[in-house]
């Protein structure tokens, strides 16, 4: 990371070690995700045998020393990747060069190869857990991608680049709703549909070499009636009787000044009946001044007059192509807003037999289905290993996890269960896969099931060992559960998709949860204060959890509780009272003119330390306060109370947050805004408050 700075706008890759990095991936990894200006990764001539993933980056130029001299190569069949436990159904990682959520990228002077078809000796049969037969035949000429862009990669510029594969979909820039792609002076080679953009694409002075009789080019313009693929002054050649192109769904083609090889078939761009075709906007294929060696075919005669607006050939430029959404040549600012990307529309070429359709598959959601326990919730970790849905799920691990579905480790701790519910509903909205919705609803029912009659939530259910049975505000566990249920009750956003039968139970659960919050607000000498991290679920009295988490008032968890109460529409007098009391307590217990500082300290066991230092104007709050005196307390693994952070052992001092600025935004912004809408009441005590 030190190599790249605001002053160094270029890093160099050299396979021989003469640059900053030996691999392209390492160079990309060194760059911050965002930047105001383009950063250049300059690649010296050489062969780079690697798969490159450009994920969630922007404003990057991958620039080779020369098109023929810089070779990025990898061998991978798409079907092989989809059968690999490290792969998935969404194509991420299927190509030699992969991009997603990475706008404003430029590729220049590169050769990108997927050599699977060129290297393979013939068909092979491999194990494939995702196939109904558990086997898959991999062909030399199946789909093989050199370039694959996922949704969110838009305004892509490609100049003087070569993309080669033997199979289909060699160049696959796929973002149906927001894809904007510009190709200039490029060579593309492959099998069926080997140049297959979705959205808006412009290719000028490009050479296309086709090794499949069915089609060289393809387009998906179903996201917007204005979407189009324009090919200007391009050359088409290939194996005998190759067809020019086809489309499976709504599409719009413009070919101007193009040259067709003598051995190209006498076949116009056609609708492939295996797809829905152009049902709404009709056939839209237009030519101007295109010629076939050996004599023109009748079907590519000039017909621009039939296009919308009857544009002249001279009007059809790169800037014209994008309809105001992008001006890659003139550099003007966009005049038309770009629609958001929709990931669900980009994966529609998988077989449908016995499998989910590709537009119903979400690799993260699929893993969540595997980890969901029989009781309906999810674990945060399995045998001390944190659940990470971004990591590959091998066939062995998948099978063992499914077999362990009855394990009693479901929890709402560390965002478990609530994050899965939220993600699965969003995945259902994107994909319309009913399995995701059903799984999310099971998760919601789990939350309803685990709630105590008094409205509190345990940290785990049904495992009540140790302190897991306590009503748990710690790490905002109970608040997150109630936020989900309130969204269900109010049918907010994606939660409007769940079964209506869950709405009434969710409303009841939220009401009981609020009642529990009011009853557990701690009272000192007749005055409401804040909340503790844990409570006994029967007596509603503050309780101890881990050795360093004694019964005490929390300067952290109390913030989320107040914020939840602030979200109540038409709050009762008791709710207003609870809020005002907590705000007054935060003001009372803040530690003025102090800040927390992280330092590196080789003398410490952890190699670092966390200190409280004087800083004029700053404010801090302790994580724990004494229940009766409001004095900040600091407790280590010995469970002994200390009154300064420095007295705690380094492992806890550096590894656990004992002080922070948690209430700052609440006091300065959120609460004052709430006050403007709802009148507060004096902080007097109710007989139900905890003591």
């Amino acid at each position: 990371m030190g190599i790249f700075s605001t002053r160094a706008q270029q890093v160099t890759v050299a396979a021989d070690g003469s640059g900053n990095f030996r691999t392209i991936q390492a160079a990309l990894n060194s760059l911050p995700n965002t930047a105001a200006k383009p950063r250049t990764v300059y690649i010296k001539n050489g062969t780079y045998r690697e798969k490159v993933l450009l994920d969630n980056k922007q404003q990057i130029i991958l620039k080779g020393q020369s098109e023929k001299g810089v070779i990025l190569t990898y061998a991978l069949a798409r079907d092989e990747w989809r059968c690999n436990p490290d792969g998935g159904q969404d194509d991420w990682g299927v190509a030699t060069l992969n991009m997603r959520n990475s706008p404003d990228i430029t590729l220049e002077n590169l050769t990108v190869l997927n050599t699977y078809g060129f290297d393979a000796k013939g068909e092979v049969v491999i194990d494939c857990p995702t196939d109904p037969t558990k086997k898959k035949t991999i062909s030399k000429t199946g789909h093989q991608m050199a370039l694959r862009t996922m949704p969110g990669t838009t305004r892509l510029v490609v100049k003087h680049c070569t993309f080669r594969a033997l199979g289909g979909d060699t160049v696959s820039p796929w973002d149906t709703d927001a894809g904007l792609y510009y190709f200039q002076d490029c060579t593309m080679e492959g099998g069926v549909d080997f140049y297959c953009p979705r959205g808006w694409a412009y290719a000028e002075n490009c050479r296309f070499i086709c090794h499949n009789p069915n089609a060289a080019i393809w387009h998906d313009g179903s996201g917007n009636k204005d979407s189009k693929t324009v090919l200007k002054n391009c050359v088409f050649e290939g194996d005998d009787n190759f067809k020019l192109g086809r489309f499976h769904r709504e599409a719009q083609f413009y070919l101007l000044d193009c040259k067709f090889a003598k051995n190209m078939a006498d076949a116009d761009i056609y609708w492939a009946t295996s797809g829905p075709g152009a049902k709404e906007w009709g056939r839209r294929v237009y030519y101007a001044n295109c010629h076939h060696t050996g004599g023109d075919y009748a079907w590519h005669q000039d017909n621009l007059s039939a296009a919308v607006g009857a544009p002249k050939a001279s009007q059809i430029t790169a800037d014209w192509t994008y309809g105001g959404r992008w001006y890659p040549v003139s550099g003007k600012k966009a005049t038309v807003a770009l629609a958001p990307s929709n990931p669900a529309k980009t994966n529609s070429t998988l077989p449908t037999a016995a499998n989910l359709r590709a537009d119903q598959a979400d690799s993260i959601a699929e893993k969540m289905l595997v980890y969901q326990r029989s009781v309906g919730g999810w674990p945060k970790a399995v045998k001390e290993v944190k659940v990470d849905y971004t990591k590959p799920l091998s066939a062995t691990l998948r099978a063992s996890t499914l077999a362990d579905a009855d394990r009693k480790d479901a929890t709402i701790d560390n965002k478990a269960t609530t994050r899965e519910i939220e993600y699965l509903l969003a995945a259902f909205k994107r994909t319309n896969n009913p399995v995701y919705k059903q799984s999310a609803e099971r998760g919601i029912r789990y939350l309803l099931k685990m709630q105590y009659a008094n409205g509190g939530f345990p940290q785990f259910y049904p495992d009540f060992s140790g302190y897991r049975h306590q009503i748990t505000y710690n790490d905002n566990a109970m608040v997150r559960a109630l936020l989900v249920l309130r969204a269900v009750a109010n049918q907010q956003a994606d939660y409007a998709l769940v079964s209506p039968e869950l709405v009434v139970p969710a409303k009841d659960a939220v009401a009981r949860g609020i009642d529990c919050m009011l009853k557990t607000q701690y009272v000192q000498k007749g005055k409401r204060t804040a909340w503790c991290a844990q409570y006994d679920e029967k007596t509603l009295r503050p309780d101890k959890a881990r050795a360093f988490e004694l019964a005490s008032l929390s300067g952290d968890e109390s913030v989320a509780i107040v914020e939840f109460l602030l979200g109540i529409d038409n709050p009762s007098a008791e709710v207003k009272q609870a809020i005002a009391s907590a705000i007054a307590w935060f003001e009372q217990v803040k530690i003025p003119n102090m800040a927390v500082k992280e330092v590196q300290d080789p003398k410490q066991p952890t190699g670092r330390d966390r200190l409280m230092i004087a800083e004029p104007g700053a404010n801090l709050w302790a994580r724990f306060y004494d229940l009766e005196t409001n004095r900040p307390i600091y407790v280590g693994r010995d469970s002994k109370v200390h009154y300064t952070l420095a007295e705690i052992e380094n492992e806890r001092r550096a590894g656990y947050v004992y002080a922070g600025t948690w209430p700052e935004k609440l006091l300065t912004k959120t609460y004052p805004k709430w006050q403007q809408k709802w009148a507060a009441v004096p902080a007097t005590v109710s007989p139900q408050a905890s003591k």
Side-chain angles (χ1 to χ4, degrees), residues 303-369:
N303 66 339
L304 286 180
S305 60
V308 174
K312 301 293 184 183
S314 59
Q315 295 177 268
I316 300 178
T317 62
D319 286 354
W320 173 90
T321 297
Y322 307 103
R325 296 165 183 83
W326 186 35
Y327 294 90
V329 176
S330 66
K332 291 167 52 179
K333 291 186 177 180
T335 56
V336 175
L338 189 62
S341 299
N342 186 347
K345 293 185 179 180
T346 63
N347 304 313
S348 54
T349 56
L350 279 179
T352 59
N355 283 333
L356 288 173
R357 294 196 314 271
D359 64 351
Q360 291 182 296
D362 181 305
S363 61
I364 298 294
E366 291 297 314
K367 293 171 189 173
M368 289 179 174
L369 299 181

Side-chain angles (χ1 to χ4, degrees), residues 136-176:
K136 175 70 76 171
T137 300
I138 308 298
S139 166
K140 284 171 58 73
T141 57
H143 291 93
Q144 299 155 33
M145 299 176 178
L147 172 67
R148 170 70 162 94
T149 76
M150 309 283 278
T153 298
T154 189
R155 296 184 296 275
L156 173 67
V157 174
V158 186
K159 296 181 178 181
H160 303 288
C161 289
T162 294
F163 302 94
R164 296 184 63 221
L166 185 62
D169 293 14
T170 305
V171 177
S172 300
W174 284 0
D175 189 333
T176 309

Side-chain angles (χ1 to χ4, degrees), residues 207-443:
R207 180 187 179 201
F208 297 89
I209 307 169
C210 185
H211 297 301
N212 186 286
N214 291 309
I217 61 175
W218 180 94
H219 180 240
D220 176 3
S222 60
N224 189 301
K225 190 174 182 179
D226 183 59
S227 295
K228 59 181 71 72
T229 180
V230 175
L231 300 103
K232 191 170 185 178
N233 196 33
C234 294
V235 174
F236 292 84
E237 55 191 80
D239 298 346
D240 287 348
N241 295 312
F242 74 92
K243 294 183 180 70
L244 177 59
R246 63 179 183 171
F247 55 95
H248 288 77
R249 49 187 58 79
E250 302 287 353
Q252 187 172 196
F253 296 82
Y254 288 83
L255 285 86
L256 298 87
D257 305 321
C258 292
K259 298 176 177 62
F260 307 137
K262 185 176 181 179
N263 65 341
M264 189 177 79
D266 183 2
D268 196 358
I269 294 174
Y270 64 98
W271 165 28
T273 55
S274 56
K279 300 293 187 182
E280 184 177 358
W281 301 320
R283 174 183 167 81
R284 297 180 296 167
V285 180
Y286 309 110
Y287 301 95
N289 194 38
C290 292
H291 298 287
H292 169 251
T293 302
D296 291 345
Y297 296 132
W299 48 264
H300 61 78
Q301 63 184 341
D302 295 1
N303 66 339
L304 286 180
S305 60
V308 174
K312 301 293 184 183
S314 59
Q315 295 177 268
I316 300 178
T317 62
D319 286 354
W320 173 90
T321 297
Y322 307 103
R325 296 165 183 83
W326 186 35
Y327 294 90
V329 176
S330 66
K332 291 167 52 179
K333 291 186 177 180
T335 56
V336 175
L338 189 62
S341 299
N342 186 347
K345 293 185 179 180
T346 63
N347 304 313
S348 54
T349 56
L350 279 179
T352 59
N355 283 333
L356 288 173
R357 294 196 314 271
D359 64 351
Q360 291 182 296
D362 181 305
S363 61
I364 298 294
E366 291 297 314
K367 293 171 189 173
M368 289 179 174
L369 299 181
V370 172
Y371 277 95
Q372 189 171 26
R373 299 312 194 196
S374 300
V375 72
W378 281 267
K380 66 176 182 178
V382 180
K383 298 178 181 178
E384 305 302 322
V385 177
K386 181 181 176 182
V387 175
D388 185 349
Y389 297 113
T390 66
K391 291 185 177 180
L393 185 63
S394 68
T396 300
L397 180 57
R398 182 180 188 277
S400 63
T401 303
L402 287 171
D404 208 18
D406 290 333
R407 179 182 287 268
K408 296 181 179 181
D409 57 357
T411 181
I412 55 173
D413 191 31
N414 290 4
K415 299 183 180 181
T417 299
T418 53
R419 66 170 175 173
E420 284 86 356
I421 292 170
E422 180 179 3
Y423 187 94
L424 286 163
L425 285 176
F428 169 65
K429 186 175 181 179
R430 289 194 306 269
T431 66
N432 202 34
N433 179 359
V435 178
Y436 300 159
K437 176 172 173 283
Q438 293 162 8
S439 178
E441 289 175 342
R442 286 183 61 211

Side-chain angles (χ1 to χ4, degrees), residues 503-545:
V503 173
V504 172
K507 287 182 178 179
D508 177 65
V510 172
R512 287 187 289 117
I514 293 170
D515 185 59
C516 182
M517 287 177 172
L518 298 178
K519 289 178 178 177
T520 52
Q521 188 173 21
Y522 192 74
V523 175
Q524 290 175 350
K525 301 175 183 178
K527 185 178 181 180
R528 289 178 177 271
T529 59
W531 286 264
C532 307
Q534 297 86 208
Y535 290 82
D536 183 280
E537 70 276 14
K538 296 178 181 178
T539 66
L540 298 188
R541 293 185 180 278
D543 213 343
K544 172 187 175 182

Side-chain angles (χ1 to χ4, degrees), residues 72-92:
L72 172 61
T73 180
Y74 198 82
L76 182 62
R78 186 193 201 195
D79 286 342
E80 179 186 26
W81 180 246
R82 288 182 177 276
C83 291
N84 189 323
D86 292 339
Q89 296 295 298
D90 64 358
D91 275 0
W92 179 239

Side-chain angles (χ1 to χ4, degrees), residues 36-209:
K37 296 181 180 180
R39 293 78 53 81
T40 299
V41 175
Y42 180 72
I43 309 168
K44 289 187 176 182
N45 286 343
T47 299
Y48 300 85
R49 302 184 186 279
E50 56 178 310
K51 179 195 290 188
V52 172
L53 298 102
L54 213 164
D55 191 11
N56 200 32
K57 303 273 188 179
Q58 62 176 254
Q59 294 280 15
I60 293 176
I61 301 171
L62 281 176
K63 185 174 183 177
Q65 184 176 353
S66 67
E67 182 176 353
K68 293 184 178 179
V70 176
I71 301 173
L72 172 61
T73 180
Y74 198 82
L76 182 62
R78 186 193 201 195
D79 286 342
E80 179 186 26
W81 180 246
R82 288 182 177 276
C83 291
N84 189 323
D86 292 339
Q89 296 295 298
D90 64 358
D91 275 0
W92 179 239
V94 76
T96 304
L97 177 55
N98 306 268
M99 303 181 196
R100 71 178 174 189
N101 297 321
S102 296
D104 301 302
I105 304 298
T106 296
L107 309 177
E108 191 171 350
N109 299 337
L110 305 172
T111 292
V112 183
L113 310 177
N114 186 331
T115 63
Y116 181 88
F118 299 115
D119 299 341
K121 296 179 180 179
E123 290 185 348
V124 294
V125 178
I126 65 171
D127 293 332
C128 187
T130 61
D131 191 87
T133 67
K134 304 304 178 186
K135 297 288 183 181
K136 175 70 76 171
T137 300
I138 308 298
S139 166
K140 284 171 58 73
T141 57
H143 291 93
Q144 299 155 33
M145 299 176 178
L147 172 67
R148 170 70 162 94
T149 76
M150 309 283 278
T153 298
T154 189
R155 296 184 296 275
L156 173 67
V157 174
V158 186
K159 296 181 178 181
H160 303 288
C161 289
T162 294
F163 302 94
R164 296 184 63 221
L166 185 62
D169 293 14
T170 305
V171 177
S172 300
W174 284 0
D175 189 333
T176 309
D177 294 287
L180 304 171
Y181 314 109
Y182 175 79
F183 293 85
Q184 184 185 76
D185 300 308
C186 293
T187 297
M188 304 180 214
E189 179 179 3
V192 65
D193 306 335
F194 68 87
Y195 175 62
C196 50
R198 300 178 189 249
W200 290 262
Y202 180 88
E204 185 172 17
N205 303 331
C206 292
R207 180 187 179 201
F208 297 89
I209 307 169

